[in-house]
Amino acid sequence: MCSSDLAAWLKGELDARSAELREVRAEASLALSSAERSREEARALVASKTHLLEASEERRSNAERAQTSAEASLRDARVSAASATAALEADLAALVKANNCGPILIRLSWHDAGVFSDGNLKGGCPNAALRFTDGGEGAFGANAGLPEFANGLLKDITDKYCPAVCSVADMWALAANVAIKEMGGPDVPTKFGRKDAASSSDSVESQVGRLPDGDKGIDHLRDIFHPKGFTDEDIVALSGAHTVGSCHIDRSGFEGPWTEEPLKFDNTYFTEMMSKTYKPEETSKGNPQNRSESGTIMLISDLALLTDDAFKVHVERYAKDQAAYFKDFTAAWVKMQELGYKL
């Protein structure tokens, strides 16, 4: 090979190697660019995932703070409600002490709830309907004196706490239970949730067949109380509420206290019923009742508890065991106060 041919061959080889080098460099540059893009994409993906994680963590933290705040608000609300209820109880206790009105508070709650029936008659519930005096339950003869008391001595407490803390019907239930405790009786639990009547039209149609009459006997008591879901034992226990209070001639047509200490809630109603002798008499209103030598009375419906063994056995038991009476009374009384509701 001559020198010119050698030079041409070498030049060709050099050009070829240069071209290959350029291709390698181009491929390397392309690979580097691709790697850089991948790295940037990876960085972006990491940044995105990090942002999502941080956002998720922030949402979790916010949710935890919201839950903590809600729980604190609920605790505060419960504390506030408990404080308000405690204040209401204190005001009711002061009312009972200042006015010796415990018995009428029990009667108010009894007659508010006691109109309920689930027998031939239906409906009725504790709804404070008898506070209305234009008709309905507020005009029932059995409720004589109750609207005046509810709208009089109880008015300031009602205005202060109802409906901000509870309904009027709830307050009447609580008032009776505070009165029972203040007079020495059991500590009766009170649940809220009763709804107040909007007017007298929310009353039941009549007291007949719903509230007991004092001049009737055992059959009448069963006719009144069994449709409410009460047993014979319940009837005797509830009758024991007559251990406090007195009959007033201008309200019921009967006259006199049942026990020697009508402001003390205990089992004396039963012990006196078992130990005293009662003579029948007629009140100035022409109503029959029975009076002892000490001046205490028993209505026909009271002494009827001794005429039926299914009732008398509980009278005897409660006369001997006040704790048993308190236990059974509490159960029956709570049932009475919650008639028509699931509190």
Side-chain angles (χ1 to χ4, degrees):
M1 181 182 293
C2 63
S3 59
S4 61
D5 291 338
L6 179 60
W9 178 81
L10 289 173
K11 182 178 182 302
E13 287 295 316
L14 182 60
D15 289 342
R17 301 289 83 74
S18 295
E20 290 175 358
L21 181 58
R22 285 193 298 273
E23 288 179 2
V24 171
R25 286 175 175 172
E27 291 175 356
S29 178
L30 183 62
L32 183 60
S33 297
S34 177
E36 185 64 27
R37 284 195 300 272
S38 296
R39 186 176 64 177
E40 291 300 324
E41 290 174 355
R43 287 175 178 170
L45 181 60
V46 169
S48 175
K49 295 293 186 182
T50 301
H51 175 72
L52 290 175
L53 184 60
E54 290 174 347
S56 176
E57 182 64 23
E58 183 177 1
R59 285 194 296 271
R60 186 181 66 81
S61 297
N62 289 339
E64 288 178 350
R65 285 194 294 271
Q67 182 179 355
T68 300
S69 177
E71 289 173 351
S73 297
L74 182 59
R75 284 195 300 271
D76 291 343
R78 286 172 176 167
V79 169
S80 178
S83 298
T85 302
L88 171 56
E89 290 181 7
D91 283 352
L92 289 169
L95 181 78
V96 172
K97 292 175 182 176
N99 297 278
N100 290 330
C101 58
I104 197 170
L105 286 172
I106 296 172
R107 179 170 170 247
L108 180 65
S109 178
W110 181 307
H111 285 223
D112 186 34
V115 293
F116 172 86
S117 182
D118 194 28
N120 293 329
L121 299 173
K122 299 290 184 182
C125 65
N127 62 1
L130 63 83
R131 72 190 190 279
F132 299 106
T133 58
D134 60 330
E137 292 172 35
F140 289 176
N143 292 336
L146 293 177
E148 293 79 8
F149 175 77
N151 297 323
L153 200 59
L154 268 181
K155 185 178 187 304
D156 288 345
I157 292 179
T158 302
D159 292 346
K160 182 177 179 180
Y161 293 99
C162 305
V165 175
C166 62
S167 67
V168 178
D170 284 337
M171 190 268 285
W172 288 1
L174 179 64
N177 297 341
V178 168
I180 289 169
K181 186 176 181 179
E182 286 297 317
M183 293 187 291
D187 190 354
V188 181
T190 310
K191 292 181 181 178
F192 288 171
R194 300 163 188 80
K195 295 181 180 179
D196 288 336
S199 70
S200 61
S201 64
D202 292 324
S203 300
V204 296
E205 74 292 338
S206 171
Q207 70 185 48
V208 178
R210 294 179 181 272
L211 296 175
D213 297 324
D215 60 352
K216 293 183 174 63
I218 288 298
D219 290 341
H220 171 73
L221 291 177
R222 287 188 171 121
D223 288 344
I224 293 293
F225 286 97
H226 283 183
K228 304 182 196 299
F230 292 113
T231 64
D232 288 350
E233 179 182 87
D234 293 332
I235 295 172
V236 178
L238 290 171
S239 297
H242 284 167
T243 196
V244 296
S246 301
C247 290
H248 300 273
I249 196 70
D250 58 331
R251 296 176 183 173
S252 64
F254 301 106
E255 182 76 34
W258 282 274
T259 64
E260 302 288 345
E261 296 182 87
L263 294 176
K264 183 179 180 181
F265 197 104
D266 56 15
N267 67 335
T268 302
Y269 171 79
F270 301 107
T271 60
E272 292 194 13
M273 182 184 293
M274 295 294 298
S275 63
K276 288 184 176 181
T277 299
Y278 296 88
K279 294 182 179 180
E281 65 176 20
E282 192 173 276
T283 71
S284 61
K285 294 289 186 179
N287 291 331
Q289 63 178 36
N290 302 277
R291 189 176 297 275
S292 70
E293 290 185 358
S294 65
T296 60
I297 68 161
M298 288 285 166
L299 304 179
I300 291 175
S301 59
D302 294 311
L303 292 183
L305 302 180
L306 299 178
T307 66
D308 187 307
D309 288 342
F311 286 78
K312 186 177 180 180
V313 63
H314 300 298
V315 174
E316 293 172 337
R317 182 163 60 91
Y318 296 151
K320 295 176 182 177
D321 189 343
Q322 180 170 279
Y325 165 56
F326 278 9
K327 178 178 178 292
D328 291 350
F329 171 80
T330 298
W333 181 243
V334 169
K335 186 192 297 185
M336 168 73 78
Q337 289 191 318
E338 297 179 3
L339 288 174
Y341 289 98
K342 293 182 179 180
L343 302 180

